[in-house]
């Protein structure tokens, strides 16, 4: 069942949980996300980051498959464009039936980010879709690579709650990606999160907060962030890495030929398990 980001985050708000937003780059990834969500009977967000992963598979190939499989899923699913940074790509996703898009103008001057985000909100409204935008920066490293960066540089990009409130008022976005200590990719040092900032941003903006860079955050920190108002958590790197590790082990243990269809299944099973473990934490399940 296909839902907008706004509707799926309303479910999260009512239950005091966060919805997992998993990036997909393959058919196996989509199957793993949906089967994990169905097994736990939980809503989920299926997202594609063309800016980071368009080199592995094209948006116009994976996009229609994501929408079709989400429509046929037994749980609520939002299909979302992650880190859209140009209008053509955003329009393309909306035309395919994505129910939500992120416009990432976080590297632009504030006024330009506001103007572009407002234009994306107007465009998305015409399709009945939701919009996530970003204020502050989580680093531009590709997901699935080593991120981290030095602590001072990360802290200087933390989201300012007053600016976030003005941004939401001026743009009308449905959810806001904020910087409070997480970054994309694999952490070089254990992340130190400014968890109180989330509550202040939530209070001042009135919209759900989105956490990017979910891989490498402890279960305890996830729970604290959810308590403060995080309602969508982006997660990809660890699922891809653990699947790679699982495939490496299987290949090392295999005797004789290794067929690619077996590799695809090993990866899918590993990803499904990571998604089940992750959704359990975000949904506060036993
Ligand atoms: P990770 O790289 O930490 O999994 O985060 C993914 C993400 O935030 C995509 O937007």
């Amino acid at each position: 069942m296909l839902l907008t980001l706004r509707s799926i985050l309303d479910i999260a708000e009512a239950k005091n949980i966060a919805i997992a937003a998993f990036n997909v780059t393959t058919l196996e990834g989509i199957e793993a996300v949906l089967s994990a969500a169905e097994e736990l009977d939980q809503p989920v967000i299926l997202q594609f980051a063309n800016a980071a992963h368009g080199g592995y598979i094209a948006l116009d190939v994976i996009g229609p498959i994501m929408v079709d499989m989400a429509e046929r899923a037994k749980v609520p699913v939002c299909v979302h464009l992650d880190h859209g940074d140009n209008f053509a790509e955003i329009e393309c996703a909306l035309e395919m039936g994505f129910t939500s898009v992120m416009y990432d103008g976080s590297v632009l001057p504030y006024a330009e980010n506001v103007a572009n985000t407002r234009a994306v909100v107007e465009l998305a409204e015409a399709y009945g879709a939701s919009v996530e935008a970003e204020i502050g920066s989580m680093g531009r490293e590709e997901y699935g690579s080593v991120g981290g960066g030095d602590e001072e540089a990360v802290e200087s990009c933390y989201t300012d709650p007053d600016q976030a409130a003005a941004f939401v008022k001026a743009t009308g976005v449905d959810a806001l990606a904020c910087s409070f200590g997480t970054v994309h990719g694999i952490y070089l040092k254990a992340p130190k999160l400014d968890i109180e900032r989330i509550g202040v941003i939530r209070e001042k903006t009135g919209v759900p907060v989105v956490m990017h860079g979910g891989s490498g955050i402890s279960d305890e920190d996830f729970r604290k962030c959810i308590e403060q108002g995080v309602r969508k958590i982006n997660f990809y790197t660890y699922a891809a890495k653990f699947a790679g590790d699982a495939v490496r082990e299987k290949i090392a243990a295999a005797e004789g030929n290794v067929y690619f269809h077996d590799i695809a299944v090993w990866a899918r099973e590993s990803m499904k398990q990571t998604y089940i473990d992750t959704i359990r934490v975000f949904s506060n399940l036993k």
Side-chain angles (χ1 to χ4, degrees), residues 26-29 31-32 35 238-275:
T26 59
L27 181 59
E28 290 73 25
E31 288 180 310
S35 60
Y238 268 24
K241 179 189 156 10
F242 295 158
D245 293 347
V247 166
R248 189 162 36 202
E249 273 176 31
K250 293 273 194 187
I251 290 176
E255 282 169 20
N257 294 327
V258 173
Y259 295 97
F260 179 72
H261 51 241
D262 289 323
I263 294 178
V265 170
W266 295 331
R268 187 182 66 203
E269 283 169 359
S270 165
M271 285 188 280
K272 180 179 175 187
Q273 192 54 53
T274 306
Y275 296 143

Side-chain angles (χ1 to χ4, degrees), residues 11-71:
I11 300 176
E13 193 64 41
K15 293 176 150 182
N16 244 325
I17 61 168
I19 312 286
F22 297 122
N23 292 78
V24 290
T25 57
T26 59
L27 181 59
E28 290 73 25
I30 302 172
E31 288 180 310
V33 170
L34 296 180
S35 60
E38 285 180 345
E39 193 165 312
L40 295 174
D41 195 21
Q42 292 296 309
V44 78
I45 299 165
L46 206 49
Q47 62 184 17
F48 183 65
N50 195 44
H53 298 141
Y56 302 124
I57 190 161
L59 173 61
D60 63 0
V61 174
I62 197 164
I65 302 172
M66 290 164 71
V67 173
D68 178 58
M69 290 178 68
E71 274 169 348

Side-chain angles (χ1 to χ4, degrees), residues 42-148:
Q42 292 296 309
V44 78
I45 299 165
L46 206 49
Q47 62 184 17
F48 183 65
N50 195 44
H53 298 141
Y56 302 124
I57 190 161
L59 173 61
D60 63 0
V61 174
I62 197 164
I65 302 172
M66 290 164 71
V67 173
D68 178 58
M69 290 178 68
E71 274 169 348
R72 290 190 283 126
K74 295 186 193 75
V75 290
V77 184
C78 164
V79 177
H80 175 81
L81 178 73
D82 190 25
H83 290 285
D85 60 5
N86 67 81
F87 288 83
E89 176 186 295
I90 287 170
E91 203 164 6
C92 178
L94 291 169
E95 274 295 320
M96 282 174 201
F98 278 45
T99 52
S100 176
V101 291
M102 175 185 189
Y103 174 68
D104 180 359
S106 60
V107 292
L108 299 175
Y110 175 76
E112 215 178 315
N113 189 7
V114 169
N116 289 356
T117 304
R118 179 69 212 148
V120 169
V121 168
E122 279 165 20
L123 179 67
E125 264 168 17
Y127 290 86
S130 308
V131 177
E132 171 188 335
E134 178 171 333
I135 275 277
S137 183
M138 266 82 64
R140 301 289 280 180
E141 290 87 2
E142 299 230 329
Y143 331 123
S145 69
V146 174

Side-chain angles (χ1 to χ4, degrees), residues 199-218:
V200 180
I201 294 170
R202 175 71 185 90
E203 179 77 30
K204 291 200 175 198
T205 61
V207 295
V209 173
V210 179
M211 177 202 281
H212 283 240
S215 298
I217 303 299
S218 68

